[in-house]
Amino acid sequence: MKPSSLELQALAIVLPFVAPIFGLLIGSFLNVCIVRLPKEESVVTPRSHCPKCGHMIAWYENIPVFSFLFLRGRCRGCGEPISWLYPIIEFLNGAMFLFLALMFGPSMEFLKYAVFGALMLALVVTDFRERILPDELTFVGIAAGAGFSLLTPVGDGTAAWITQAFTRNGFATPWPPIMVSALDSLLGAIAGAATLWCVREGYYLWRGVEGMGFGDLKLMAAVGAFVGLKVTLLTIFLGSVLGSILGGGFIFLSRGRDTAYELPFGTFLGVAAIFGALWGKEVVHWYLLKLSY
Ligand SMILES: [Zn+2]
């Protein structure tokens, strides 16, 4: 049943207040994922506790951002400092959900990009801290991207172009929009994984060492499943540029002292993917217009 316009208006008024609260709570769960998944621990049990003294964290010590401020960043059991990471992740996710609520309003797009953004935030931070992109997050991303393509159109245009090319010549009947969207999601996932596979193989042939893990490949498959082929390629391009600038800067600053430093490529790709998901279509459109002149 579709909501009436009055119900939608009411939702539109409530959403900017509910979304950031929801975002803070999800952010709190992302912290659990970021800390536990690289250690292959369960994100469900045991309940949250201080890693130093084992003090069990009560619900009122676990309120996103506020508890950290209230406790002045220290464990109530042993007084050891609590990582700044926790309130920052919670705040970022809350702010992102508010931004998405204002950008998309009460819609399936809002849900889709909230799920996408939260996953990317967790992956960006995990890769930065541990150089690991956990399968739990990338596989959930691939499945969620494919699922959302059935609920709201990916709208990349590539699938529409391919299917129309066939139907124009009378080879097939026109595809229903939901199938076109699913094909866009599939093409995006394949493009993301295949491009990074080529980069990986190319680097191996060139340097004789593995420069990239399979995590980056699965990450880009997940991004592709959400955003489709064109924005996926844009994301890889932007992520590589970002990595070259920041990575080059780091190597320059460390002056060869730390040449074995492994760049968090997944972090750059994740940041680029969030930008790409929100504004990539405009960038691609602008670029294709330029090309056609
Ligand atoms: Zn403690």
Side-chain angles (χ1 to χ4, degrees):
M1 198 174 68
K2 288 221 165 200
S4 72
S5 68
L6 197 70
E7 280 168 340
L8 266 184
Q9 273 177 15
L11 267 177
I13 293 167
V14 174
L15 189 67
F17 295 96
V18 179
I21 296 170
F22 203 61
L24 288 172
L25 294 170
I26 300 279
S28 187
F29 178 67
L30 294 183
N31 280 325
V32 178
C33 292
I34 288 164
V35 171
R36 292 192 190 177
L37 286 180
K39 291 191 271 184
E40 314 221 337
E41 290 174 0
S42 163
V43 293
V44 186
T45 52
R47 283 198 32 230
S48 296
H49 56 273
C50 170
K52 307 222 170 66
C53 72
H55 168 72
M56 280 292 176
I57 292 157
W59 67 268
Y60 56 84
E61 295 169 274
N62 208 6
I63 300 164
V65 181
F66 296 100
S67 288
F68 183 86
L69 299 175
F70 173 72
L71 296 167
R72 299 215 182 98
R74 289 184 181 279
C75 168
R76 239 166 50 100
C78 61
E80 282 290 318
I82 304 166
S83 170
W84 272 94
L85 181 75
Y86 300 111
I88 287 173
I89 301 289
E90 286 158 357
F91 174 81
L92 278 178
N93 202 59
M96 181 168 67
F97 275 35
L98 172 63
F99 179 80
L100 293 173
L102 296 173
M103 189 167 181
F104 294 108
S107 60
M108 192 54 77
E109 278 81 23
F110 166 72
L111 267 185
K112 171 178 163 169
Y113 290 111
V115 169
F116 181 71
L119 276 170
M120 286 303 128
L121 181 58
L123 285 161
V124 160
V125 178
T126 311
D127 197 46
F128 187 73
R129 290 180 75 216
E130 315 262 357
R131 303 295 183 278
I132 291 173
L133 296 160
D135 279 348
E136 288 87 345
L137 297 175
T138 50
F139 285 145
V140 162
I142 294 169
F148 273 111
S149 78
L150 305 176
L151 301 169
T152 176
V154 174
D156 174 72
T158 308
W161 181 75
I162 292 171
T163 55
Q164 274 163 23
F166 276 101
T167 51
R168 246 200 310 277
N169 298 317
F171 283 127
T173 51
W175 282 31
I178 193 173
M179 294 286 288
V180 175
S181 179
L183 180 58
D184 262 335
S185 175
L186 180 67
L187 288 171
I190 292 171
T195 308
L196 283 209
W197 187 82
C198 291
V199 173
R200 187 186 144 86
E201 290 300 302
Y203 191 84
Y204 185 76
L205 286 175
W206 177 41
R207 301 293 295 267
V209 286
E210 286 186 358
M212 193 199 307
F214 277 106
D216 298 299
L217 216 131
K218 290 176 238 170
L219 165 70
M220 283 317 298
V223 171
F226 270 93
V227 301
L229 184 140
K230 290 178 197 146
V231 173
T232 299
L233 297 182
L234 175 72
T235 296
I236 294 172
F237 173 73
L238 291 178
S240 306
V241 171
L242 197 63
S244 308
I245 295 170
L246 295 180
F250 181 86
I251 289 164
F252 177 76
L253 285 176
S254 64
R255 304 226 185 237
R257 260 181 288 127
D258 204 355
T259 46
Y261 180 77
E262 192 191 338
L263 287 176
F265 192 35
T267 301
F268 304 132
L269 288 173
V271 171
I274 294 173
F275 172 84
L278 298 179
W279 296 287
K281 267 185 198 155
E282 278 82 0
V283 176
V284 169
H285 186 71
W286 168 83
Y287 178 69
L288 292 179
L289 265 183
K290 273 256 184 191
L291 276 188
S292 66
Y293 278 120

